[in-house]
Amino acid sequence: MLAIPLFILALVLRLIASGQSFWLDEGASISIARLPIVSILSSASSDFHPPLFYLLLHFWLPLADKSEWLIRLPNIIFGALSVSALYFLFKAVGSEEKTKLAFLAAFLLAINPLHVYYSVELRMYSLNTLLSILSWTYLVKGRWKIFTLLSIANVYTFYGAFFNLAAQWVYILWQHKKKLKPFVICNALVFVLFLPWLPTLVKQITASGYLTRALPGWSAISGTLSLKSLALIMAKFFFGRISLANKSAYALFVGGVSLYFFFCCLLASAKKENRLFLIWFFMSLSAAILISLKAPVLGYWRFIFLIPAFVSIITVGLNLLSGSSFYFNVLVVSLIFIFGNLVFWTSPQFQRENWRSAAKLISVDRSLSIVNFPDVFAPLKFYAPDVYYYPSQEALGRPRADLDQTLPLVLKDKERVFVFDYLSDLTDKKRSILVWLKQAGLVESKTHDVPGVGFIYEFASP
């Protein structure tokens, strides 16, 4: 069966970079998952995600201990299974030459650099992608009980699942009105079973509003509605996490691949059976654009579940070209994907934040580490839990009122002080903590530049 070698290929590619250091969001996943189950549910209001991923990780962490690749292994398996799942979705759609197209689409997903990256990341995107593909498969098959269970699991994994459901509504209303009644019943069940979580979602929306007000730059990072955000989705879907230092050249590449993708969309639209993938991609994205009028949700990482639709559109579009043109274009797309992976694997500047190295740097006796944040950064809790930390802010963007009273006390008997510049452009542009230390007589002895983490300023007693 072709799905097996595709799964093995996907698994191997996703294991290559699985031993990298955890970055900030991955550290947050571990911190939340380590809590008791009741606390995971109650603390979710401060994290804009549903709880299912954290609950699954909660039971896996004791088995994985502190090995990065082993902690990430369930996500890696979800990513590899998504490749096989896309193969079976193509078979279920029943298009012409379905075995050939199913293999090609699954192969492109297996080597897609952005899907490879987010299959390794310790977040909920890999599971969300797998559940989204499976939900489409069982929607097509009319297996309503399984479709309902998958949809419930999906909305409790990642809120982007609602964009996926919106596309499925359009698909049913436009293409399969005969299935409307059971589909409506399934969605009603999904809504009823989501109701217990609705109050928490309201709290999360309120909390996210506070975040954008406290940190004005956060909206741009999260993905406001702009041509740049939409172009970035297209760029990352092709090239993965890499980018070019020359912004003009990068913009030219983005424009070129965007036109190429829309050319594939035009070709794909010629056949009715291809509309599922077009609806899945464009209706999900359209729903997100509507939401982005009120909240910044267009960060490209939120749309990993659309990469299967993306590679499927390319597959069915190119299939309408003549023999030599088809194989040439498949080769070009494959080489772009492979290039994106190779550059990421071999270029530290594109890889995850190296908190492991940062933790090793500050793990020395008689030292103090200061963060420009209201709490210790989550990866430091994982890699250096015994280091003495001092958060310099009492709330986002607001320095501690007791700074002058408490900091001199914790500085006693400390020979070295490390100050993390991480996120300071958002929380403390003036770097007031550096000014305070210099005025207190401490001498800046070294500046360490840790990949992804940024500058860590080292001070010594005078």
Side-chain angles (χ1 to χ4, degrees):
M1 184 183 293
L2 291 175
I4 295 176
L6 287 166
F7 172 81
I8 294 172
L9 171 66
L11 189 64
V12 170
L13 292 176
R14 283 147 184 79
L15 284 169
I16 290 175
S18 60
Q20 288 184 17
S21 169
F22 292 122
W23 78 287
L24 183 67
D25 283 6
E26 292 180 299
S29 295
I30 294 173
S31 295
I32 294 171
R34 278 177 167 174
L35 298 171
I37 291 176
V38 174
S39 299
I40 291 175
L41 297 175
S42 61
S43 67
S45 58
S46 62
D47 179 78
F48 196 72
H49 291 291
L52 182 58
F53 170 75
Y54 298 125
L55 293 172
L56 295 174
L57 184 58
H58 172 84
F59 292 103
W60 177 250
L61 283 177
L63 302 175
D65 196 29
K66 290 192 174 183
S67 170
E68 287 99 338
W69 79 269
L70 194 54
I71 292 174
R72 290 179 170 126
L73 184 58
N75 276 39
I76 293 169
I77 293 174
F78 294 148
L81 285 174
S82 296
V83 172
S84 297
L86 183 60
Y87 176 85
F88 288 114
L89 173 58
F90 255 91
K91 302 280 281 189
V93 170
S95 58
E96 295 179 10
E97 302 178 272
K98 59 183 180 180
T99 300
K100 167 191 167 183
L101 296 183
F103 179 84
L104 177 57
F107 172 76
L108 291 179
L109 183 60
I111 65 173
N112 180 271
L114 197 64
H115 191 264
V116 169
Y117 178 93
Y118 280 100
S119 297
V120 177
E121 180 152 296
L122 195 65
R123 297 294 280 169
M124 58 290 301
Y125 309 117
S126 179
L127 178 57
N128 165 241
T129 301
L130 174 60
L131 292 171
S132 297
I133 298 171
L134 292 174
S135 73
W136 279 99
T137 302
Y138 286 97
L139 174 65
V140 170
K141 290 183 175 182
R143 302 284 295 276
W144 300 111
K145 291 180 181 179
I146 299 178
F147 169 78
T148 304
L149 291 173
L150 290 167
S151 297
I152 293 167
N154 210 6
V155 297
Y156 271 103
T157 297
F158 181 57
Y159 293 133
F162 287 109
F163 301 146
N164 190 64
L165 273 174
Q168 289 172 338
W169 270 96
V170 173
Y171 176 72
I172 290 296
L173 289 171
W174 186 10
Q175 299 291 308
H176 294 282
K177 288 184 179 178
K178 292 181 180 179
K179 295 181 178 180
L180 181 59
K181 183 178 178 180
F183 181 74
V184 170
I185 294 172
C186 291
N187 276 263
L189 284 171
V190 172
F191 176 74
V192 169
L193 291 171
F194 189 76
L195 279 177
W197 189 253
L198 196 57
T200 302
L201 174 58
V202 173
K203 291 180 182 178
Q204 291 173 332
I205 293 172
T206 304
S208 68
Y210 161 74
L211 183 64
T212 54
R213 290 191 299 271
L215 302 177
W218 191 259
S219 293
I221 295 174
S222 293
T224 54
L225 179 56
S226 65
L227 182 61
K228 179 181 178 180
S229 294
L230 295 172
L232 201 57
I233 293 172
M234 192 61 58
K236 297 302 182 183
F237 276 22
F238 265 103
F239 300 122
R241 294 274 295 178
I242 70 171
S243 59
L244 299 177
N246 188 314
K247 299 303 179 184
S248 297
Y250 190 59
L252 186 63
F253 276 118
V254 172
V257 295
S258 298
L259 289 174
Y260 185 84
F261 176 68
F262 288 116
F263 171 69
C264 292
C265 292
L266 184 63
L267 291 174
S269 64
K271 290 192 174 184
K272 181 179 179 180
E273 61 264 27
N274 298 338
R275 291 175 187 170
L276 180 149
F277 305 109
L278 292 165
I279 292 171
W280 183 5
F281 186 88
F282 286 104
M283 290 301 103
S284 296
L285 195 56
S286 297
I289 289 172
L290 288 175
I291 296 298
S292 70
L293 295 173
K294 290 293 184 180
V297 298
L298 287 179
Y300 66 87
W301 59 90
R302 296 191 177 95
F303 300 96
I304 305 305
F305 71 97
L306 290 184
I307 297 178
F310 172 80
V311 297
S312 297
I313 291 169
I314 292 175
T315 298
V316 295
L318 295 182
N319 188 55
L320 294 176
L321 298 176
S322 61
S324 58
S325 297
F326 167 76
Y327 290 110
F328 174 77
N329 280 272
V330 168
L331 177 62
V332 169
V333 173
S334 299
L335 289 176
I336 290 173
F337 287 0
I338 293 170
F339 175 78
N341 283 312
L342 291 175
V343 172
F344 173 77
W345 290 331
T346 57
S347 306
Q349 68 267 30
F350 297 128
Q351 294 171 8
R352 292 168 177 81
E353 300 164 354
N354 198 344
W355 288 94
R356 183 170 54 205
S357 294
K360 184 178 180 180
L361 171 70
I362 65 172
S363 295
V364 293
D365 294 334
R366 301 173 68 84
S367 69
L368 171 71
S369 292
I370 300 175
V371 295
N372 271 324
F373 209 66
D375 193 12
V376 181
F377 297 124
L380 292 178
K381 295 179 182 179
F382 178 81
Y383 287 112
D386 298 325
V387 169
Y388 197 105
Y389 297 101
Y390 183 86
S392 67
Q393 301 196 344
E394 61 184 24
L396 285 172
R398 190 165 72 232
R400 290 176 60 155
D402 63 349
L403 187 70
D404 291 331
Q405 291 75 41
T406 59
L407 189 51
L409 295 176
V410 298
L411 282 172
K412 284 184 178 180
D413 302 324
K414 299 295 188 296
E415 296 178 351
R416 284 193 274 183
V417 178
F418 299 96
V419 182
F420 283 80
D421 195 55
Y422 188 80
L423 291 185
S424 292
D425 282 336
L426 292 176
T427 61
D428 183 20
K429 288 185 177 181
K430 295 180 179 179
R431 272 61 173 185
S432 56
I433 190 64
L434 298 179
V435 175
W436 192 100
L437 291 171
K438 291 175 182 177
Q439 289 177 345
L442 277 79
V443 179
E444 184 179 342
S445 57
K446 295 179 182 178
T447 299
H448 307 274
D449 189 2
V450 181
V453 177
F455 295 131
I456 300 176
Y457 303 104
E458 182 178 343
F459 285 80
S461 299

